[in-house]
């Protein structure tokens, strides 16, 4: 299978430094370890292939999120917008929002690796590959409990509880409210509902762009570390 490699510009590379990638997840379909495993083990080819695809999906999604984190750190975008700090910050906020959504998706995709490889989905009497869409839709962390190695489940559960809450809550907010509220973007004439002791601004949790970007940078590397732990339990 041909693999295309894209290279970021020097301007973006500066902000990608320190943001890790799960490099062992990329291009597994071409790696001898995967081919050898499929030839030697009595495993359904569809199970091995779909597991392999999940590895690539995780890599691609984290790579996308990582790129958005890098782009959000750029302060000016004269090639896109006229000189306007508020406009530049608005564009940065969109990159931040997209990164959050992709990091949430990355964790969901990561769960699919043990879900498929250890065929946990069979508890629902589903078969690969004819039930693939339903198999993916039923993948939840809670259903892995007791069906995969205890230590592996512990890694996933602790990450979800300790590291993933901000991402999960923020992604849910974005899905229903379109964007987090950033103090960098608040204007003196922003719309507010005030009356009968209610002030809509008082019910908003307001972040700074740089504060959230720092959270995302730390989350990226902790997520990649979790990917390395998951890899230990899959033999290719």
């Amino acid at each position: 299978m041909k693999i295309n490699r894209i290279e970021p510009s020097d301007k973006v590379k500066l902000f990608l430094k320190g943001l890790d990638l799960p490099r062992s997840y990329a291009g597994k379909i071409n790696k001898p370890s995967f081919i050898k495993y499929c030839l030697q083990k009595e495993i359904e080819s569809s199970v091995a292939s779909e597991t392999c695809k999940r590895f690539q999906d995780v890599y691609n999604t984290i790579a996308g999120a990582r790129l958005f984190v890098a782009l959000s750190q750029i302060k000016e975008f004269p090639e896109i917008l006229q000189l306007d700090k508020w406009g530049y910050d608005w564009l940065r906020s969109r990159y931040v929002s997209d990164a959050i959504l992709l990091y949430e998706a990355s964790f969901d995709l990561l769960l699919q690796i043990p879900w498929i490889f250890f065929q946990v989905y069979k508890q629902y009497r589903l078969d690969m590959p004819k039930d693939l869409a339903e198999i993916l839709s039923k993948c939840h962390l809670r259903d892995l409990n007791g069906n995969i190695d205890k230590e592996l489940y512990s890694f996933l559960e602790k990450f979800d509880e300790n590291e993933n809450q901000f991402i999960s809550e923020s992604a849910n907010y974005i899905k229903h409210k379109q964007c987090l509220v950033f103090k960098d973007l608040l204007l003196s004439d922003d719309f507010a509902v005030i009356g009968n002791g209610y002030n809509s601004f008082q019910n908003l949790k307001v972040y700074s762009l740089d504060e959230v970007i720092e959270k995302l940078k730390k989350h990226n590397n902790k997520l990649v570390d979790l990917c390395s732990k998951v890899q230990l339990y899959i033999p290719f």
Side-chain angles (χ1 to χ4, degrees):
M1 178 184 293
K2 181 180 179 181
I3 297 177
N4 290 321
R5 179 177 176 81
I6 58 175
E7 284 291 336
S9 67
D10 291 339
K11 180 179 179 180
V12 176
K13 278 183 180 178
L14 176 66
F15 298 104
L16 287 171
K17 290 181 178 178
L19 292 173
D20 298 334
L21 273 172
R23 298 192 183 279
S24 68
Y25 280 38
K28 280 187 178 292
I29 197 75
N30 291 328
K31 292 181 179 178
S33 58
F34 173 70
I35 298 170
K36 183 179 180 181
Y37 182 84
C38 291
L39 292 174
Q40 292 183 349
K41 298 291 182 178
E42 292 183 2
I43 184 172
E44 297 174 43
S45 59
S46 58
V47 171
S49 297
E50 287 300 327
T51 302
C52 191
K53 186 177 185 304
R54 296 319 127 192
F55 276 111
Q56 189 66 52
D57 288 347
V58 171
Y59 178 88
N60 292 346
T61 310
I62 292 177
R66 173 180 176 260
L67 177 60
F68 284 136
V69 172
L71 292 172
S72 72
Q73 295 175 76
I74 299 173
K75 301 294 185 180
E76 298 182 352
F77 304 88
E79 69 278 12
I80 300 176
L81 299 174
Q82 296 292 332
L83 180 59
D84 176 17
K85 184 181 184 307
W86 190 93
Y88 291 155
D89 285 342
W90 177 85
L91 189 54
R92 294 174 66 210
S93 77
R94 307 318 303 179
Y95 288 137
V96 166
S97 296
D98 288 345
I100 289 171
L101 293 174
L102 287 180
Y103 280 129
E104 183 197 36
S106 298
F107 183 68
D108 290 343
L109 290 167
L110 185 63
L111 296 180
Q112 291 177 7
I113 293 175
W115 176 258
I116 292 175
F117 182 77
F118 296 112
Q119 301 179 56
V120 182
Y121 57 82
K122 286 195 171 182
Q123 64 183 296
Y124 292 109
R125 297 183 180 180
L126 299 173
D127 292 311
M128 189 77 74
K130 71 180 180 68
D131 299 318
L132 178 60
E134 190 172 359
I135 286 170
L136 298 179
S137 70
K138 287 187 176 297
C139 178
H140 299 287
L141 175 61
R142 63 179 180 272
D143 289 331
L144 292 173
N145 190 15
N147 291 304
I148 62 174
D149 183 275
K150 288 183 178 180
E151 187 177 44
L152 173 56
Y153 179 77
S154 178
F155 289 145
L156 296 168
E157 182 183 42
K158 287 180 180 177
F159 182 87
D160 188 48
E161 291 177 352
N162 301 329
E163 309 296 343
N164 209 40
Q165 287 305 300
F166 173 76
I167 296 296
S168 180
E169 292 171 5
S170 298
N172 188 60
Y173 189 93
I174 291 168
K175 291 172 186 176
H176 294 92
K177 300 288 181 68
Q178 74 87 21
C179 188
L180 297 182
V181 180
F182 295 106
K183 65 182 181 181
D184 314 65
L185 298 175
L186 291 178
L187 300 174
S188 59
D189 59 351
D190 269 344
F191 176 81
V193 176
I194 302 174
N196 296 324
Y198 176 78
N199 184 331
S200 60
F201 273 148
Q202 293 177 351
N203 292 277
L204 296 177
K205 188 169 184 179
V206 181
Y207 299 92
S208 78
L209 272 168
D210 289 337
E211 171 193 353
V212 175
I213 290 168
E214 287 304 310
K215 284 178 178 286
L216 295 182
K217 288 162 70 174
K218 293 177 182 177
H219 181 83
N220 181 93
N221 291 349
K222 289 178 179 179
L223 178 59
V224 172
D225 181 62
L226 178 64
C227 289
S228 298
K229 292 175 179 176
V230 171
Q231 175 66 85
L232 297 174
Y233 294 85
I234 309 297
F236 53 78

